[in-house]
Amino acid sequence: MKVAKFGGSSVADSDQFRKVKAIANSDLDRKVIVVSAAGKSSAEPVKVTDLLIQLEDAKSNGTDCQRIFDHISDRVLKIRDELNLDVNIENDLKEIYSKLDSCSHDYLVSRGEYLTGKLMAAYLGYYFADAKDFMIFDRENFDYQASAKRIKAIMADHEYIVAPGFYGANEDGSIHLMPRGGSDISGSILASLLNASLYENWTDVSGILMADPRIVNHSKKIDVLTYDELQELSYMGIGVFQEEAVRPVRVKQIPTKILNTNHPEDGGTLVVDSAAKKSDNNIITGIAGKKNYTVITIKKYQLNKHIEVLQNVLSVLQKFHISINYVPSGMDSFSFLCRQSEVSNKLEAILLKLRNTCGLDSVEVNRDIALVAAVSLQLSKRPAIAGKILDYLDNSLINVRLVIQEGSDIKVVFGVSNEDYEKTISKIYREAMFRDYKRIPA
């Protein structure tokens, strides 16, 4: 059995519905279809979910809700009518409108997925399984045991179902909304509950590229990567999945495939457990990064013997509510990486506190730093690769301010100036694609 989740762009209008149907019909193992709310299209610049949030804001502000509600209704009815569906969606719209003054935020914002799911179920001829009937929450925690029992009971009676993503229900039956991007989480959880053979995430991109296509023209698609590699790339800003959306399938070692609804023939990217990934010819799996960091470096003679100094520094940073990454940079020094947006208006106060209370020899600051990560399982097996990339960057006159690589890590991070960010990504991509690494020892 396969679980296939279709994002907002995949269900934005009747033409996209037709593409989903063609995909569903092409593989009868796709027995569970999960849908987001209708998203943006060339004719509709606003997602239905955002329209529902606008509707709630208008209700709260005492302004006219009718125009926004009519827009939502028109979009839903247009899809229904263009597909010639025999489904009385007007009653659902009337019920939503009647509850505007009394319903919860979670109920109202979830209606985009609910309405889209009902339309898709009617179009495919599948059973509509309302998420509130099987995605059960115990306060903020998802109840896997209760949810598994309910969805398996539904599947025992219905071979093919459509389920809306993004929401479930609390034990009292009230709607429980997930974070934005929750439809990905819903699909992943369903794949886990049903022990699916594959979880498919259908979007408007043909998988994951090795590097940002805005920086590297015609960047190569990653055919296969591991969950570990995906996690590192996502953390460094590739923006494919939230960690919550990866974890349920990762725990069960269920492969995930990222595919393009508009171009299913492109094949997409397959994400697998480390043991299932065969070695390939690419020395680097992917490259990602983030701009606008400030690096604070503290120095103290024999700092490695003065743990109390490091504890005091961490305490200062904690009091200023700064999220940090930190890395040893020598026997006598330690560096802290902070997002510039978090630290900019506090930096002088932080530096003053560190210098006056922590007994340091010096404190140095580097602003406008970008972090660029090269990610690959190969890096843990062949650490000399990182040195080769560093040499290449040096030969390209890129000033590398810091390098972070743990001995067993699958990621090496280079800190460069913001102005060298795009150049660094391009150079590492070229290094990974066109250099011969056969002579580098394992």
Side-chain angles (χ1 to χ4, degrees):
M1 176 198 296
K2 297 177 183 178
V3 174
K5 180 264 175 181
F6 291 86
S9 63
S10 299
V11 293
D13 54 33
S14 60
D15 286 339
Q16 294 301 99
F17 267 58
R18 292 185 181 98
K19 293 175 184 178
V20 172
K21 186 171 187 176
I23 290 167
N25 289 344
S26 70
D27 186 346
L28 296 182
D29 281 342
R30 294 183 178 113
K31 296 186 176 184
V32 178
I33 305 296
V34 181
V35 295
S36 297
K40 296 179 182 179
S41 69
S42 57
E44 291 286 350
V46 183
K47 302 174 183 178
V48 167
T49 298
D50 291 329
L51 289 172
L52 288 163
I53 292 171
Q54 291 178 20
L55 181 64
E56 182 179 48
D57 290 341
K59 179 192 70 172
S60 300
N61 297 333
T63 54
D64 183 23
C65 299
Q66 194 65 51
R67 179 185 58 81
I68 302 172
F69 185 80
D70 287 346
H71 187 181
I72 296 168
S73 299
D74 289 346
R75 283 196 66 177
V76 173
L77 293 171
K78 183 179 181 183
I79 293 173
R80 192 271 310 267
D81 294 342
E82 289 182 349
L83 296 174
N84 297 314
L85 300 179
D86 184 18
V87 53
N88 188 0
I89 208 76
E90 287 92 346
N91 284 345
D92 294 297
L93 290 166
K94 288 176 183 176
E95 181 179 357
I96 295 167
Y97 191 77
S98 70
K99 293 180 177 180
L100 278 181
D101 292 330
S102 59
C103 69
S104 68
H105 166 83
D106 286 15
Y107 170 85
L108 182 58
V109 176
S110 71
R111 294 306 86 185
E113 276 75 12
Y114 174 84
L115 294 168
T116 305
K118 288 201 79 170
L119 291 174
M120 184 61 73
Y123 186 50
L124 296 179
Y126 291 3
Y127 176 74
F128 175 68
D130 192 347
K132 72 176 179 59
D133 295 330
F134 63 87
M135 296 286 283
I136 308 303
F137 289 83
D138 178 8
R139 298 182 181 177
E140 292 303 315
N141 299 314
F142 184 73
D143 191 331
Y144 275 88
Q145 186 173 358
S147 300
K149 183 177 180 180
R150 294 197 186 193
I151 189 58
K152 287 176 182 177
I154 291 172
M155 295 300 296
D157 294 331
H158 305 279
E159 188 175 8
Y160 294 93
I161 70 169
V162 171
F166 194 31
Y167 72 92
N170 299 306
E171 291 178 314
D172 62 3
S174 60
I175 297 298
H176 181 106
L177 204 63
M178 297 180 184
R180 288 301 287 265
S183 292
D184 286 344
I185 303 173
S186 296
S188 179
I189 288 175
L190 269 172
S192 175
L193 295 177
L194 295 169
N195 294 308
S197 60
L198 179 68
Y199 171 50
E200 296 179 335
N201 194 291
W202 291 87
T203 67
D204 55 1
V205 296
S206 298
I208 303 171
L209 301 179
M210 276 188 67
D212 189 334
R214 294 168 297 183
I215 299 172
V216 177
N217 290 329
H218 309 296
S219 174
K220 183 180 178 182
K221 177 171 64 71
I222 303 171
D223 293 324
V224 183
L225 78 163
T226 68
Y227 281 114
D228 286 335
E229 290 170 322
L230 175 61
Q231 180 173 307
E232 294 292 359
L233 288 169
S234 297
Y235 177 76
M236 290 303 299
I238 205 168
V240 180
F241 281 120
Q242 302 176 28
E243 172 62 20
E244 298 96 319
V246 172
R247 191 172 185 275
V249 286
R250 182 177 185 174
V251 168
K252 290 282 189 75
Q253 297 184 10
I254 297 170
T256 294
K257 200 159 195 180
I258 301 155
L259 296 146
N260 190 337
T261 304
N262 302 311
H263 298 284
E265 71 281 359
D266 286 352
T269 295
L270 181 65
V271 188
V272 296
D273 182 70
S274 298
K277 183 180 179 182
K278 297 179 181 178
S279 59
D280 54 38
N281 294 324
N282 291 334
I283 209 71
I284 299 297
T285 300
I287 307 157
K290 296 183 270 192
K291 283 184 174 182
N292 299 319
Y293 276 83
T294 292
V295 180
I296 301 173
T297 301
I298 61 168
K299 293 187 177 181
K300 171 77 174 177
Y301 178 64
Q302 293 189 329
L303 179 60
N304 60 321
K305 296 182 180 180
H306 293 280
I307 300 300
E308 74 284 355
V309 173
L310 193 55
Q311 289 173 332
N312 290 338
V313 171
L314 290 170
S315 177
V316 169
L317 295 173
Q318 184 180 31
K319 287 177 182 177
F320 281 92
H321 306 290
I322 301 299
S323 300
I324 56 170
N325 292 317
Y326 46 90
V327 58
S329 48
M331 288 184 61
D332 301 331
S333 61
F334 217 90
S335 294
F336 299 87
L337 286 67
C338 318
R339 293 306 298 258
Q340 219 147 274
S341 56
E342 283 190 39
V343 77
S344 57
N345 61 345
K346 306 174 183 178
L347 186 57
E348 294 306 319
I350 292 171
L351 296 178
L352 183 64
K353 191 76 172 177
L354 290 175
R355 287 166 176 149
N356 290 344
T357 65
C358 294
L360 301 169
D361 293 340
S362 66
V363 181
E364 298 176 358
V365 177
N366 280 297
R367 297 174 175 86
D368 302 318
I369 298 297
L371 302 179
V372 177
V375 175
S376 174
L377 290 180
Q378 298 276 7
L379 288 166
S380 62
K381 303 170 186 175
R382 305 170 73 183
I385 293 168
K388 287 290 184 180
I389 296 174
L390 187 59
D391 285 344
Y392 187 53
L393 295 177
D394 185 52
N395 293 336
S396 302
L397 302 181
I398 294 173
N399 182 14
V400 178
R401 309 290 185 86
L402 59 93
V403 179
I404 307 169
Q405 184 184 25
E406 297 177 6
S408 61
D409 208 353
I410 63 170
K411 172 181 71 179
V412 57
V413 179
F414 301 96
V416 299
S417 66
N418 277 343
E419 63 185 23
D420 283 335
Y421 174 72
E422 289 83 3
K423 183 179 178 182
T424 301
I425 289 178
S426 296
K427 292 295 183 182
I428 294 176
Y429 180 84
R430 183 176 178 82
E431 170 80 348
M433 292 300 296
F434 302 115
R435 291 273 168 159
D436 182 4
Y437 287 91
K438 294 179 181 178
R439 298 179 183 176
I440 299 177

